[in-house]
């Protein structure tokens, strides 16, 4: 069954969220909305019926010309909630997309060079390696400490993890070995506000408690490259030109730039000339900047704030593009999808959201099944899944293409809607069709 599921699922990956909206049909739209909502409010013990109504709503949505800005969200939520009760482990209270094992708040999730594995950190001091293809497998512990892990970051070559400790320095961890083996972990005891790897380099940049920006290598040699008087929450380094961006508690976006063109220069030259940089500070309001990400086009910086919104910033023009609002509390993490068309945000309001950057009118997909703050999120390397973690100690994997969720329903439910169920939830105006053609 798993081989069939995997093989068939590969065939539906090309399905997209877009539809032909040249002639939207209000009647089909209303039907899709009604069926989605009826599936959502249906109790979980009516597992098969709940799933089949959601699946049939998806079929009408996929094949009909429905309203393009809201209907996708209703369909996605109905499909997800239906899938949640299919194969639900009532003993462990675990849904199909839910994994556990951390004993405290999950603070970061990151991918390495292998798209089938990701890594998580927690305030329990552990860094775990997870198999994305087998969500229920036991994770591998690759590092454990009695310190609180504030966040982790992966080097560009995917071979070293950086674990940043809360007020207690950082550690560089080779990930090709496990904690049971004699691994060589480089620990930097100097307390830092935050740190990041230099793109393409086995070196890292940290902000000390006193505000010094220090460039260090694995040999622990250091170089002073900047200074800030503000509290830095996150650093990002543009891999194209070496510009440093800092998001601060005071709501200022700081940038250390070069006054000359270095886009074709090797990274080593960028590092050597960092001392010739120019500094800029942009006051973006009084709300703390908690997270940053640079888009794959290298032209857009996404900035997540305490206000619960996101600022999209034009890097070349040094100006605001637009503000994305929707979260009800602090934005805690942010990431562009690999193709740059979507933006993932997580928040203390208990949700993660996937925003469509190509059409600002389209509502985001809302991932709202965590029981506490959501602190971290990441797209997988394909951009088809999202991984999230937070204060409820769980990690969740979310297929963001509704076709994947719709397909799983027909794998798990061995029937279609009956004629009586069709008449109740669809109506006699529409010719009966098999919901799942087994």
């Amino acid at each position: 069954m798993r081989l069939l599921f995997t093989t068939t699922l590969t065939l539906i990956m090309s399905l997209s969220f877009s539809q032909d909206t040249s002639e939207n049909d209000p009647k089909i739209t209303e039907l899709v909305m009604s069926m989605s909502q009826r599936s959502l409010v249906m109790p979980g013990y009516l597992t098969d019926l709940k799933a089949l109504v959601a699946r049939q709503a998806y079929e009408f949505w996929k094949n009909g010309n429905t309203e393009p800005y809201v209907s996708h969200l209703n369909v996605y939520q109905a499909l997800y909630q239906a899938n949640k009760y299919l194969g639900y482990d009532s003993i462990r209270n675990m849904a199909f997309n839910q994994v556990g094992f951390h004993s405290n708040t999950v603070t970061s999730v990151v991918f390495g060079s292998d798209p089938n594995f990701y890594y998580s950190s927690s305030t329990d001091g552990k860094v775990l390696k997870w198999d994305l293809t087998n969500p229920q497998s036991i994770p591998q512990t690759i590092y454990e400490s009695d310190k609180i892990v504030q966040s982790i970051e992966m080097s560009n070559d995917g071979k070293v993890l950086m674990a940043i400790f809360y007020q207690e320095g950082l550690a560089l961890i080779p990930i090709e070995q496990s904690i049971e083996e004699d691994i060589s972990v480089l620990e930097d005891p100097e307390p830092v506000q935050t740190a990041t790897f230099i793109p393409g380099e086995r070196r890292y940049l940290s902000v000390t408690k006193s505000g010094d920006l220090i460039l260090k290598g694995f040999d622990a040699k250091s170089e002073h490259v900047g200074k800030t008087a503000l509290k830095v929450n996150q650093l990002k380094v543009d891999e194209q030109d070496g510009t440093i961006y800092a998001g601060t508690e005071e709501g200022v976006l700081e940038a250390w730039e070069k006054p000359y063109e270095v886009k074709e220069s090797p990274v080593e030259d960028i590092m050597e000339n960092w001392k010739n940089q120019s500094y800029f500070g942009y006051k973006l309001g009084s709300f703390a900047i908690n997270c940053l990400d640079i888009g794959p086009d290298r032209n857009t910086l996404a900035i997540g704030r305490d206000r619960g919104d996101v600022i999209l910033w034009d890097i070349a023009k040094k100006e605001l593009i637009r503000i994305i609002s929707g979260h009800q509390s602090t934005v805690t993490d942010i990431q562009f999808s690999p193709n740059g068309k979507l933006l993932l945000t997580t928040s203390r309001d208990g949700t993660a959201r996937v925003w469509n950057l190509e059409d600002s009118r389209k509502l985001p997909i809302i991932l709202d099944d965590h029981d506490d703050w959501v602190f971290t999120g990441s797209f997988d390397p394909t951009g088809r899944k999202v991984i999230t973690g937070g204060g409820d100690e769980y990690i969740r994997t979310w297929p963001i293409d509704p076709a994947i969720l719709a397909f799983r329903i027909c794998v798990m439910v061995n029937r279609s809607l009956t004629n009586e169920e069709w008449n109740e939830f669809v109506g006699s105006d529409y010719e009966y069709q098999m919901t799942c053609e087994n």
Side-chain angles (χ1 to χ4, degrees):
M1 176 64 75
R2 181 176 177 180
L3 177 61
L4 175 63
F5 180 86
T6 303
T7 303
T8 311
L9 189 57
T10 302
L11 299 177
I12 67 171
M13 287 300 191
S14 60
L15 293 175
S16 68
F17 292 87
S18 62
Q19 301 159 279
D20 178 10
T21 57
S22 55
E23 295 181 10
N24 294 331
D25 186 337
K27 188 176 180 181
I28 291 292
T29 294
E30 186 175 6
L31 177 62
V32 168
M33 297 289 207
S34 172
M35 293 183 69
S36 297
Q37 290 301 315
R38 292 186 73 180
S39 175
L40 279 169
V41 301
M42 197 176 298
Y45 61 79
L46 297 176
T47 309
D48 287 3
L49 183 58
K50 184 180 182 74
L52 290 170
V53 172
R55 165 76 192 215
Q56 191 60 55
Y58 163 79
E59 290 295 327
F60 284 120
W61 174 81
K62 180 184 70 172
N63 298 318
N65 294 323
T66 58
E67 179 280 326
Y69 304 122
V70 179
S71 59
H72 67 285
L73 175 58
N74 287 267
V75 168
Y76 183 91
Q77 289 177 328
L79 288 171
Y80 173 77
Q81 288 297 325
N83 272 277
K84 178 179 178 179
Y85 292 97
L86 292 174
Y88 190 84
D89 186 341
S90 59
I91 297 176
R92 297 192 301 156
N93 196 30
M94 297 278 281
F96 78 105
N97 69 327
Q98 185 177 357
V99 296
F101 284 102
H102 277 299
S103 60
N104 216 319
T105 298
V106 179
T107 56
S108 285
V109 291
V110 298
F111 279 85
S113 56
D114 189 332
N116 293 321
F117 296 93
Y118 65 95
Y119 303 82
S120 64
S121 65
S122 169
T123 55
D124 62 14
K126 292 181 180 180
V127 178
L128 303 181
K129 179 180 180 179
W130 302 84
D131 184 348
L132 186 61
T133 64
N134 188 9
Q136 301 307 317
S137 62
I138 297 175
Q140 178 185 11
T141 300
I142 66 167
Y143 183 78
E144 188 169 0
S145 170
D146 58 358
K147 302 173 183 177
I148 296 175
V149 182
Q150 174 179 299
S151 62
I152 54 175
E153 184 171 327
M154 182 67 70
S155 62
N156 281 54
D157 60 10
K159 295 182 178 180
V160 179
L161 268 174
M162 177 191 298
I164 303 168
F165 304 121
Y166 182 68
Q167 296 185 338
E168 296 189 57
L170 56 85
L172 301 175
I173 309 161
I175 63 170
E176 296 179 354
Q177 296 170 292
S178 69
I179 193 172
E180 289 79 12
E181 301 176 58
D182 183 19
I183 63 175
S184 177
V185 176
L186 173 63
E187 294 196 355
D188 183 348
E190 182 176 19
V192 296
Q193 298 182 47
T194 189
T196 188
F197 279 111
I198 302 301
E201 285 279 302
R202 296 291 287 274
R203 291 193 277 181
Y204 61 94
L205 177 71
S206 64
V207 183
T208 67
K209 291 297 182 181
S210 60
D212 293 301
L213 276 69
I214 306 295
L215 178 66
K216 292 186 177 182
F218 281 30
D219 57 4
K221 291 182 180 179
S222 62
E223 178 185 354
H224 187 278
V225 297
K227 178 76 174 178
T228 178
L230 305 178
K231 184 181 184 303
V232 177
N233 290 327
Q234 188 171 24
L235 289 171
K236 280 290 179 181
V237 179
D238 190 327
E239 65 182 28
Q240 189 173 29
D241 65 5
T243 299
I244 308 167
Y245 293 97
T248 69
E249 191 72 21
E250 293 79 3
V252 176
L253 173 67
E254 296 190 295
W256 290 262
E257 301 177 320
K258 267 60 61 192
Y260 51 85
E261 182 68 26
V262 294
K263 291 183 179 179
E264 303 302 323
S265 299
V267 173
E268 291 80 1
D269 290 346
I270 295 174
M271 300 302 112
E272 287 294 323
N273 291 287
W274 235 341
K275 57 189 176 184
N276 297 320
Q277 66 206 309
S278 297
Y279 167 81
F280 298 92
Y282 309 97
K283 182 67 174 176
L284 301 180
S286 58
F287 299 95
I289 297 172
N290 299 309
C291 46
L292 305 168
D293 195 32
I294 299 173
D297 63 0
R298 320 314 304 173
N299 292 324
T300 307
L301 181 69
I303 304 166
R305 302 197 297 174
D306 252 2
R307 192 180 189 183
D309 60 7
V310 172
I311 292 176
L312 295 182
W313 182 263
D314 189 304
I315 290 175
K317 295 180 180 179
K318 302 181 180 62
E319 64 183 25
L320 176 76
I321 299 173
R322 68 184 176 98
I323 295 178
I324 300 174
S325 300
H327 282 295
Q328 304 302 308
S329 187
T330 298
V331 175
T332 53
D333 203 0
I334 196 165
Q335 188 184 74
F336 286 93
S337 63
N339 63 11
K341 295 180 180 180
L342 302 174
L343 184 71
L344 170 67
T345 57
T346 65
S347 172
R348 289 182 180 175
D349 66 9
T351 73
R353 305 189 182 208
V354 181
W355 307 84
N356 187 310
L357 296 181
E358 295 186 309
D359 191 340
S360 61
R361 296 167 296 178
K362 196 168 186 179
L363 287 179
I365 296 174
I366 300 175
L367 314 177
D368 62 351
D369 210 16
H370 280 283
D371 294 327
D372 206 324
W373 295 350
V374 184
F375 281 108
T376 182
S378 177
F379 284 100
D380 80 329
T382 70
R384 297 188 181 106
K385 287 185 178 180
V386 162
I387 316 295
T388 59
D392 60 1
E393 304 174 8
Y394 288 112
I395 294 171
R396 291 185 183 273
T397 61
W398 310 79
I400 57 174
D401 188 339
I404 298 174
L405 294 171
F407 178 77
R408 183 176 182 268
I409 286 173
C410 288
V411 171
M412 300 293 291
V413 179
N414 191 28
R415 72 177 184 91
S416 293
L417 288 172
T418 65
N419 283 289
E420 292 76 14
E421 290 167 343
W422 180 276
N423 288 333
E424 179 179 353
F425 293 99
V426 180
S428 57
D429 292 345
Y430 297 90
E431 183 179 356
Y432 177 83
Q433 56 185 262
M434 300 288 284
T435 307
C436 294
E437 296 184 7
N438 297 322

